[in-house]
Amino acid sequence: MLQQRTLKSITKAVGVGLHSGQRVELTLRPAQPDTGIVFRRVDLPQPVDIPISALAVTDTRLASTISAGGAKVHTVEHLMSACAGLGIDNLYVDITAEEVPILDGSSASFVFLLQSAGIEMQRAPKRFIRVLKPVEVREGQGENVKWARLEPYHGYRLSFEIEFHHPAVDSTGQSVVFDLGQGNYSRDIARARTFGFTRDVEMMRSNGLALGGGLDNAIVMDDYKMLNSDGLRYDDEFAKHKILDAMGDLYLVGKPLLAAYSAFRSGHAMNNKLLRELLSQQDAYEVVTFEDDRKAPTGFAQPARAW
């Protein structure tokens, strides 16, 4: 039987929120089978649990925000991406502020935290959402078009194409394909950092955003070049970060997908719109388990190894 996974022990991190700039403590704790991933605002007078789901997403401006009972947690996508990449099914995320810490701007620190705690197999079948027919969402026309699509696939493959008219981005790969059965998430995707432009920073900060952002947790570019002295971690780091984000956004559906995802200029809003469109079509998906590990798609049977 392909089993659910949680952590063997508790692990903690301290950092600042990318947009809020607030100090935040994060505690990752094991959870029982079929719990799912649950964020818990422990700083409130009465702690509030926010279980992940596509319908719990209430804001997608520059990040994915989930809400329940009047409580919110912003910027969950990088931690969710790490959970997707390592196959974590059940987890409690205790958090002392309303935004997940940005750490180094990628999901590598979350991968390290999860793997250092150890991954434990549980006596319950791992449940997947298997896509049965193509589902697509699309916005705009001509040069402004953007879209995202899910199609049937025995595994999990993501392909993403970006389009930024900027010298620093144009010189790198504008498209990336990552297959969980053939690649290694920790090695190939997890280290890709979020990125932004100096021309947008002043506008964002005047709106109370990007208050915790800087060269230590983001790739920053002016109109001509990248400002980070340490260069890129991957030749195609920009496109790979969009894959990283998409894996986190899509894992908010609550179960790993068996599907091929493809997107052009998509983002948090469109990724969530795609999940909602999938769930609205009852004939477009089914929930499956694998009693025989050998019948499961490659990439899901073994816990991901370290770098």
Side-chain angles (χ1 to χ4, degrees):
M1 177 180 72
L2 196 57
Q3 296 169 290
Q4 293 179 27
R5 299 172 192 166
T6 190
L7 299 186
K8 287 182 179 176
S9 63
I10 293 173
T11 185
K12 299 184 178 186
V14 178
V16 298
L18 173 63
H19 294 301
S20 66
Q22 280 185 303
R23 182 184 184 275
V24 55
E25 295 179 19
L26 194 73
T27 303
L28 307 179
R29 297 191 291 112
Q32 293 297 311
D34 298 319
T35 299
I37 296 174
V38 179
F39 286 78
R40 176 174 284 170
R41 285 286 304 278
V42 296
D43 58 311
L44 301 175
Q46 194 69 32
V48 176
D49 285 359
I50 311 175
I52 63 160
S53 81
L55 302 181
V57 177
T58 53
D59 193 349
T60 51
R61 291 171 296 174
L62 301 177
S64 287
T65 296
I66 56 174
S67 304
K72 297 179 179 180
V73 179
H74 303 286
T75 319
V76 300
E77 61 272 11
H78 296 173
L79 174 55
M80 290 303 303
S81 185
C83 291
L86 299 184
I88 303 295
D89 299 282
N90 305 302
L91 183 68
Y92 283 112
V93 182
D94 293 350
I95 188 167
T96 63
E98 64 176 20
E99 187 176 16
V100 175
I102 190 63
L103 301 181
D104 77 338
S106 74
S107 64
S109 297
F110 296 118
V111 167
F112 176 79
L113 281 170
L114 294 166
Q115 289 188 323
S116 64
I119 295 172
E120 184 172 275
M121 308 303 253
Q122 299 178 288
R123 292 185 178 180
K126 191 179 185 76
R127 293 182 172 84
F128 297 83
I129 292 177
R130 178 156 60 194
V131 173
L132 300 175
K133 70 173 189 179
V135 174
E136 180 179 288
V137 291
R138 183 176 288 263
E139 288 180 9
Q141 295 180 342
E143 292 185 354
N144 296 317
V145 71
K146 51 185 176 180
W147 53 264
R149 179 186 303 132
L150 288 169
E151 298 174 273
Y153 181 68
H154 187 62
Y156 193 35
R157 185 181 68 215
L158 303 99
S159 56
F160 204 110
E161 185 176 354
I162 59 177
E163 188 179 59
F164 288 95
H165 300 297
H166 186 282
V169 184
D170 292 345
S171 64
T172 72
Q174 297 262 19
S175 61
V176 167
V177 177
F178 174 71
D179 193 313
L180 195 62
Q182 298 171 12
N184 179 309
Y185 173 84
S186 301
R187 180 193 65 211
D188 301 334
I189 300 295
R191 297 175 64 242
R193 292 161 293 175
T194 192
F195 57 92
F197 303 91
T198 54
R199 62 175 180 260
D200 298 329
V201 169
E202 191 173 325
M203 177 274 293
M204 288 194 289
R205 287 186 172 167
S206 67
N207 287 296
L209 299 170
L211 300 178
L215 293 171
D216 58 342
N217 56 31
I219 303 170
V220 182
M221 291 167 284
D222 63 16
D223 289 341
Y224 306 102
K225 64 186 182 302
M226 184 175 71
L227 302 182
N228 303 63
S229 59
D230 56 346
L232 295 175
R233 295 177 175 178
Y234 304 107
D235 291 341
D236 47 5
E237 187 168 359
F238 301 102
K240 280 190 170 176
H241 186 77
K242 298 299 275 187
I243 291 270
L244 185 157
D245 274 350
M247 289 183 70
D249 289 342
L250 295 176
Y251 203 37
L252 287 166
V253 76
K255 297 177 181 65
L257 290 168
L258 297 179
Y261 164 88
S262 53
F264 176 67
R265 298 174 62 215
S266 183
H268 305 299
M270 185 150 283
N271 291 336
N272 186 251
K273 190 176 177 181
L274 180 63
L275 289 182
R276 289 172 184 250
E277 181 63 28
L278 172 70
L279 297 177
S280 74
Q281 301 182 34
Q282 293 188 353
D283 62 340
Y285 70 95
E286 63 181 352
V287 177
V288 298
T289 60
F290 293 95
E291 292 301 318
D292 185 345
D293 285 14
R294 293 170 297 180
K295 294 183 178 179
T298 307
F300 286 104
Q302 295 297 323
R305 299 299 175 214
W307 315 102

